[in-house]
Amino acid sequence: MFRRTFSRFCAGEEKRVGTRTVFVGNHPISETEAYIAQRFCDNRIVSSKYTLWNFLPKNLFEQFRRIANFYFLIIFLVQVTVDTPTSPVTSGLPLFFVITVTAIKQGYEDWLRHRADNEVNKSTVYIIENAKRVRKESEKIKVGDVVEVQADETFPCDLILLSSCTTDGTCYVTTASLDGESNCKTHYAVRDTITLCTAESIDTLRAAIECEQPQPDLYKFVGRINIYSNSLEAVARSLGPENLLLKGATLKNTKKIYGVAVYTGMETKMALNYQGKSQKRSAVEKSINAFLIVYLFILLTKAAVCTTLKYVWQSTPHNDEPWYNQKTQKERETLKVLKMFTDFLSFMVLFNFIIPVSMYVTVEMQKFLGSFFISWDKDFYDEEIHEGALVNTSDLNEELGQVDYVFTDKTGTLTENTMEFIECCIDGHKYKSVTQEVDGLSQTDGPLTYFDKADKNREELFLRALCLCHTVEIKTNDAVDGVTESAELTYISSSPDEIALVKGAKRYGFTFLGNRNGLMRVENQRKEIEEYELLHTLNFDSVRRRMSVIVKTQRGDILLFCKGADSAIFPRVQNHEIELTKAHVERNAMDGYRTLCVAFKEIAPDDYERINRQLLEAKMALQDREEKMEKVFDDIETNMNLIGATAVEDKLQDQAAETIEALHAAGLKVWVLTGDKMETAKSTCYACRLFQTSTELLELTTKTIEESERKEDRLHELLIEYRKKLLHEFPKSTRSLKKAWTEHQEYGLIIDGSTLSLILNSSQDSGSNNYKSIFLQICMKCTAVLCCRMAPLQKAQNLCFILPQFLYQFFCGFSQQPLYDAAYLTMYNICFTSLPILAYSLLEQHINIDTLTSDPRLYMKITGNAMLQLGPFLYWTFLAAFEGMVFFFGTYFLFQTASLEENGKVYGNWTFGTIVFTVLVFTVTLKLALDTRFWTWINHFVIWGSLAFYVFFSFFWGGIIWPFLKQQRMYFVFAQMLSSVSTWLAIILLIFISLFPEILLIVLKNVKRRTARNPNLELPMLLSYKHIDSGYS
């Protein structure tokens, strides 16, 4: 019923799809009609992953998606259901430990997210209800509520600005938490609501907002507000991004604003940008999964071999059923196929520890604890904001060492984004510095033929354009009135370029004094105040690359002023005007300055009526508004007259050149993305050493492909030519390629936006459908790319652990007899070997920080996941196989002596297995100690402590008769084993033999390093620390 009434108020409008209607203050438009409240989501923010009710099932589901966890679950179930040689505890307890520790870690991280959500959701806000300020929690905001926000507060939801404490209804906002931009942005209220600056007046507003449904684009918003008076006659005003205040943004330089909530909670743009993200998996985890599949194949092979050999062994009658181990009737009647299958499963259970269940928890804990190291790093602490590095997720910590490509913007990243006006050109005449006389501004430009200054009227027209064609606002401390305050003006804008241009005009005698009552006020060179009515602003966008304003003078003339990139302005002005300015623009671009061209035109009253009508229609559209406005803008900004151009400097950031050079030396490829003119961007890239003087540049730009009538054919020729050159120069291997960068010719690629679009959108009939693949090959082999004009150690511990168990089957008739006691199987990955590898992964520093920073080339040794490639994997696997054979056959050789004790008592199989296990634990732990170069008390504690704990546990486990055990097979075994001198000597000898290849390798590396060291050579250092003149400042 209410919707029908509202449709009557908006007669003539078609039914909109994908829009929502919001009633300001949740007030009905007509008091005579029933009001049905609409249902929208509440304002709660939920960034957490779990709840109290779904944590257990959801976390278990996610954990058992991992190969190792799922595998051990299957093994545990097999042990429970099938008669296997080992107890279910041997796999069930480690699995329970891993699952529990991982769940605690993930639960803790999610608790932190819950706590952060509660801080936001429970924060205090003020809502206007019944003409009063009502204090509420943020989560209780509803769509339609009118919210009051004070200075320096963040917006609790997405709001449409209704009014502010300023008379013109503007406010200033920073969006650093959303897009990283620290500049103040100006937002506006529609003129019909700017006077509603109190709770009482804002409560009288009866209005409805039609807008698009929530979508994540921070810079797009389409809507309109229908304001109703007592006569219920609607006044419609368009709403755009300049009217929308985003959740997470902060109110600055404005005491107070009122806004109506249009998107709340998980439908705000900030929340939508964080939703639906797939779980990221690091390259390390992917490699671990791949290697686990290899070990799973080895496990299946071992089980199959042992099963086959068991039945070969049992093919002899006295081996199948010896006198001391007669089969039961049930065993004789069991199908042979079923028996073979159960035997296969039993061997899998026996060898299952080849896959280390604790490896995932070790990796998880290393990531989790490593994130604290990043947060504690003093080098990451910013003294200005008093904050250190913040780790939002620990899942990808190790990826910091695997970066291959760095994509960077130019403005604000390589440069400071603090613009300074350098010079300008008016009708081809250069104006560079201010002299004592205001009129003495002109200076001739070398290549130009005009030696006198521009006409006085043209000078003033140009300076007026700089004062009017912008979105700059004035920070209002006190009312600015008259000339006396003009020297202390503070300009605010989202674009530093605009502030620089306004300040440049002020340097030449034209001062922008701000807006008052819809009038832009300018003080001219004669100290006179000029006022211009701002009729329309045609905002800048990355496609048009220009902006315009339409103003009305005091005499009633209507003028359009336009500024933008030369590529956007030159096609829209008279051809004979271009040459006078083009030389100036190109020279400034070569000097690294940012250039803009300025144009204007007069608009006849009749034409303005048509333009005004078209603009209003386009602005009011809810569907395809951007396309309609772009078409209108395109029609308006034609047949203009070029006045001149400006040059603004954006200085490089401190240490920008040294940083880029270090990234190159480390083998990283740097891509610079910028909207600047190609010459400007190229000059900046030389200055920041993205390109060296020796770098050969490959250009794919509009200029290079315009030589041919058919652009796509010419583009294809260039792509083929560049690919042949690069393939001939560099080898195919990626790692060899990185090494080649320091030994061969370096290449850099320059491409502009239009050419990139041509590559990505090539026509099907061009015969060049492989543009993308060729372009990708070229990019991968270039050390730098300028886009301008754009819009296993632990796994080998476990192989040597289970190999003796496999070998033992050859000496026990493949009877599935365990070599190790169940307690050792259970404790090996949990207690005996887990802490040393965790401490090593957190604390080890093979190379000290000073060496790393002085020689970035060392980074190339670990990129491309180099430590988890096939080569290192095979090395550790074969080394583990060697050690496993030493453990087993060394102990087997020791047992060839009939008696190892003075009393003639013979050791049994559990003593044999305990000796093997003791050598194993000491070898893998000491191997880690050999590889440790950065010793701390923590390393000493966990390494020697783990060995001491093993000895203590073995004495304790074998020194007590445990009532819950059926067999006391380990009773006094360890103590009696160590009573033999032969056993002591054997253990020490086997540990040394196992570690000998590692010790020999370390010795050979040290000898090689000392031999290669030349004391007369300088240590490797960055070029930036050497006094080499590159020719660019």
Side-chain angles (χ1 to χ4, degrees), residues 811-1002:
F811 296 86
C812 68
F814 304 98
S815 61
Q816 301 162 7
Q817 169 66 35
L819 177 63
Y820 309 123
D821 181 64
Y824 286 154
L825 288 172
T826 304
M827 300 290 284
Y828 178 74
N829 278 315
I830 296 178
C831 299
F832 299 153
T833 61
S834 59
L835 288 180
I837 189 67
L838 179 61
Y840 176 86
S841 64
L842 287 171
L843 303 173
E844 177 58 14
Q845 298 179 22
H846 269 53
I847 304 172
N848 64 60
I849 187 65
D850 295 330
T851 305
L852 284 174
T853 53
S854 64
D855 189 3
R857 292 174 297 177
L858 294 170
Y859 184 86
M860 285 190 284
K861 294 186 177 181
I862 62 169
T863 55
N865 206 20
M867 306 307 291
L868 278 177
Q869 296 297 324
L870 183 61
F873 172 73
L874 292 177
Y875 167 77
W876 286 107
T877 299
F878 284 117
L879 190 63
F882 165 76
E883 291 168 353
M885 296 179 71
V886 170
F887 300 159
F888 181 82
F889 287 110
T891 308
Y892 178 77
F893 177 77
L894 174 67
F895 270 64
Q896 297 304 304
T897 303
S899 174
L900 294 177
E901 295 190 65
E902 295 178 356
N903 58 10
K905 187 175 180 179
V906 179
Y907 282 167
N909 64 310
W910 294 115
T911 304
F912 181 89
T914 303
I915 294 175
V916 173
F917 192 83
T918 302
V919 175
L920 164 70
V921 171
F922 273 79
T923 298
V924 297
T925 305
L926 292 176
K927 178 186 288 293
L928 200 63
L930 281 175
D931 200 47
T932 301
R933 302 184 190 179
F934 186 76
W935 283 91
T936 66
W937 69 267
I938 299 177
N939 297 89
H940 284 289
F941 178 78
V942 297
I943 287 177
W944 313 125
S946 294
L947 295 177
F949 175 75
Y950 165 70
V951 175
F952 170 78
F953 175 82
S954 297
F955 276 114
F956 180 72
W957 179 247
I960 298 176
I961 296 179
W962 301 97
F964 56 84
L965 294 180
K966 294 181 180 179
Q967 301 94 8
Q968 304 293 329
R969 54 194 182 194
M970 292 299 294
Y971 180 69
F972 218 60
V973 168
F974 191 78
Q976 185 137 3
M977 179 190 78
L978 294 184
S979 64
S980 170
V981 177
S982 302
T983 304
W984 276 91
L985 293 175
I987 289 174
I988 295 173
L989 180 63
L990 291 178
I991 292 174
F992 175 77
I993 294 174
S994 301
L995 294 177
F996 181 74
E998 194 80 3
I999 297 172
L1000 182 63
L1001 188 62
I1002 293 174

Side-chain angles (χ1 to χ4, degrees), residues 71-72 86 295 298-299 302 306 347-356 794-810 818-820 824-825 828-829 880-881 883-885 887-888 916-917 920 924:
Y71 162 77
F72 267 88
T86 57
Y295 278 127
I298 295 175
L299 170 63
K302 283 183 176 181
C306 287
F347 278 118
M348 281 195 65
V349 170
L350 192 64
F351 304 144
N352 77 82
F353 279 90
I354 192 174
I355 296 180
Q794 191 175 17
K795 296 188 295 295
Q797 282 172 342
N798 276 68
L799 179 60
C800 62
F801 169 46
I802 211 63
L803 181 61
Q805 178 73 77
F806 172 71
L807 297 174
Y808 186 57
Q809 298 305 303
F810 288 84
L819 177 63
Y820 309 123
Y824 286 154
L825 288 172
Y828 178 74
N829 278 315
E883 291 168 353
M885 296 179 71
F887 300 159
F888 181 82
V916 173
F917 192 83
L920 164 70
V924 297

Side-chain angles (χ1 to χ4, degrees), residues 468-471 498 534-541 544-551 559-564 569 572 599-601 603 633 636-638 640:
L468 297 173
C469 188
H470 56 73
T471 57
E498 293 195 325
L534 180 59
L535 301 176
H536 289 284
T537 300
L538 282 57
N539 290 321
F540 174 88
D541 64 67
R544 291 168 52 243
R545 302 193 56 76
R546 60 187 181 275
M547 77 152 293
S548 300
V549 293
I550 301 176
V551 297
L559 301 176
L560 177 138
F561 291 107
C562 180
K563 73 172 187 287
I569 298 295
R572 298 178 174 273
F600 90 106
K601 79 172 181 178
I603 300 177
F633 289 174
I636 296 173
E637 296 167 329
T638 55
M640 297 185 293

Side-chain angles (χ1 to χ4, degrees), residues 17 33 73 227 308 387 407 436 545 572 591:
V17 179
E33 299 286 352
L73 177 64
I227 304 169
T308 303
E387 288 185 4
F407 292 83
Q436 295 298 321
R545 302 193 56 76
R572 298 178 174 273
D591 291 337

Side-chain angles (χ1 to χ4, degrees), residues 172-174 181-186 188 253 417 469-475 490-500 502 512 547 563:
Y172 308 107
V173 171
T174 58
E181 294 287 343
S182 58
N183 299 319
C184 282
K185 297 178 174 65
T186 307
Y188 306 89
N253 303 319
N417 200 21
C469 188
H470 56 73
T471 57
V472 174
E473 299 286 339
I474 292 180
K475 183 178 179 181
T490 302
Y491 296 119
I492 298 176
S493 175
S494 59
S495 171
D497 297 76
E498 293 195 325
I499 296 177
V502 171
F512 174 61
M547 77 152 293
K563 73 172 187 287

